[in-house]
């Protein structure tokens, strides 16, 4: 069972935008689509390490700001001719609050 932790209000993330969350596991980009769905992916493009949180959100995809690679927000898979994958993380919205997998927040050294 996944335990979730509150990281802020849905309204803190612009529609078709992202919020960067620094975690014990590294930086995670939390995306909001035009229809208020949320997704969480590692904030690093596998191509050249571009910050996906600064990318363009369109539909249920994000385009890397460095070299225009497009990733499916549902699966993290690169689209089109590009190959690669970005790790996704459990995230949800509950009563207007964005909740992310608590295991991301815990220190790697925590028991």
């Amino acid at each position: 069972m996944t335990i979730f932790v509150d990281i802020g209000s849905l309204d803190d993330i612009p529609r078709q935008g992202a919020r960067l969350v620094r975690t014990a596991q590294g930086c995670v980009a939390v995306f909001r689509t035009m229809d208020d769905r949320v997704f969480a992916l590692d904030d690093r493009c596998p191509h050249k390490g571009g910050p996906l949180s600064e990318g363009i959100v369109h539909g249920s995809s994000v385009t890397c700001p460095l070299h225009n690679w497009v990733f499916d927000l549902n699966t993290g898979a690169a689209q089109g001719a590009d190959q690669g994958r970005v790790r996704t993380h459990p995230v949800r919205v509950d009563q207007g609050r964005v909740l992310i997998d608590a295991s991301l927040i815990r220190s790697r050294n925590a028991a």
Side-chain angles (χ1 to χ4, degrees), residues 10 13-14 16-19 28-33 36-43 51-57 61-63 73 91 98:
L10 178 63
I13 305 170
Q16 293 185 287
R19 176 177 173 206
V28 173
V30 179
F31 298 94
R32 179 182 181 187
T33 64
D36 295 332
R37 292 177 294 145
V38 294
F39 301 90
L41 280 71
D42 283 352
D43 188 41
L52 295 177
S53 60
E54 296 176 19
I56 297 170
V57 177
S61 300
V62 62
T63 299
L73 293 171
V91 64
V98 179

Side-chain angles (χ1 to χ4, degrees), residues 25-26 28 40-43 75-76 85-89 104 108:
Q25 311 298 317
V28 173
L41 280 71
D42 283 352
D43 188 41
T75 66
R85 180 174 301 272
V86 179
R87 186 170 53 155
T88 62
H89 304 283
L104 289 168
R108 291 180 185 181

Side-chain angles (χ1 to χ4, degrees), residues 76-107:
Q79 303 297 290
D82 299 322
Q83 295 184 355
R85 180 174 301 272
V86 179
R87 186 170 53 155
T88 62
H89 304 283
V91 64
R92 69 179 194 207
V93 176
D94 186 11
Q95 297 181 1
R97 303 298 296 178
V98 179
L99 309 171
I100 196 166
D101 183 352
S103 68
L104 289 168
I105 305 303
R106 291 188 211 118
S107 169

